[in-house]
Amino acid sequence: MTTRLIINCNSHRVTLDGRLVAVTPTELSILGLLAFNPSRLITNDQIRYCIHASKQTSLSLAKTHLSNLRRKLGDTAKQRQIIDTVHGVGQIMLLGAEQIEIIGSPAQIIVGLPQDHVRCPRCGYGFFAQDHQVPS
């Protein structure tokens, strides 16, 4: 069975394989950032900014939120199925774009994300329109 993740930005609800997953607003912001950029490395600094855009968040606080999120999604240290760590660098959403459904605007849940942030129809990555380079 293929894993299916649905993030409803309008209702701030997350479902994984039809099961409602209770997440905090901070966890939802992190999950939204990762899900909007499937299979793409999101750096620790980007995650720290996602937690609180106006001030620097400690890396240990970011790791705590990620640990809690992983536990709620059913990821374990021995078997990562949703979010993986690139040690010392950041995190990667392991699910592909075809396994993720985002309802509404991610700007509603991702701290510091401007309204003009859109998903590329060709590559599936989230990007700021003026900065996007389509992979060949």
Side-chain angles (χ1 to χ4, degrees), residues 31-38 102 106 110 113 117-119 124-127:
L31 182 61
L33 179 65
L34 291 166
F36 201 67
N37 297 281
I102 298 175
I110 303 174
L113 187 67
H117 197 272
V118 294
R119 183 187 293 272
Y125 286 145
F127 67 96

Side-chain angles (χ1 to χ4, degrees), residues 76-106:
T76 65
K78 291 185 178 184
Q79 188 175 9
R80 302 276 193 224
Q81 295 181 13
I82 311 292
I83 301 168
D84 198 12
T85 299
V86 177
H87 292 283
V89 182
Q91 311 295 318
I92 296 177
M93 171 60 71
L94 295 175
L95 300 179
E98 71 283 354
Q99 296 173 276
I100 301 168
E101 180 179 353
I102 298 175
I103 300 168
S105 170

Side-chain angles (χ1 to χ4, degrees), residues 43-117:
T43 68
N44 290 328
D45 285 341
Q46 290 170 311
I47 291 169
R48 289 165 56 194
Y49 182 82
C50 173
I51 292 171
H52 201 297
S54 65
K55 68 178 182 182
Q56 194 71 313
T57 300
S58 73
L59 185 55
S60 63
L61 178 62
K63 286 181 178 181
T64 299
H65 286 297
L66 278 161
S67 175
N68 291 338
L69 179 59
R70 279 194 175 100
R71 180 180 43 77
K72 292 175 181 182
L73 294 173
D75 268 1
T76 65
K78 291 185 178 184
Q79 188 175 9
R80 302 276 193 224
Q81 295 181 13
I82 311 292
I83 301 168
D84 198 12
T85 299
V86 177
H87 292 283
V89 182
Q91 311 295 318
I92 296 177
M93 171 60 71
L94 295 175
L95 300 179
E98 71 283 354
Q99 296 173 276
I100 301 168
E101 180 179 353
I102 298 175
I103 300 168
S105 170
Q108 294 175 283
I109 61 168
I110 303 174
V111 173
L113 187 67
Q115 293 292 331
D116 65 346
H117 197 272

Side-chain angles (χ1 to χ4, degrees), residues 4-25:
R4 182 90 174 133
L5 176 69
I6 300 173
I7 301 171
N8 189 322
C9 302
N10 301 323
S11 66
H12 292 228
R13 290 183 177 226
V14 174
T15 57
L16 181 63
D17 294 332
R19 175 182 58 91
L20 186 63
V21 179
V23 295
T24 67

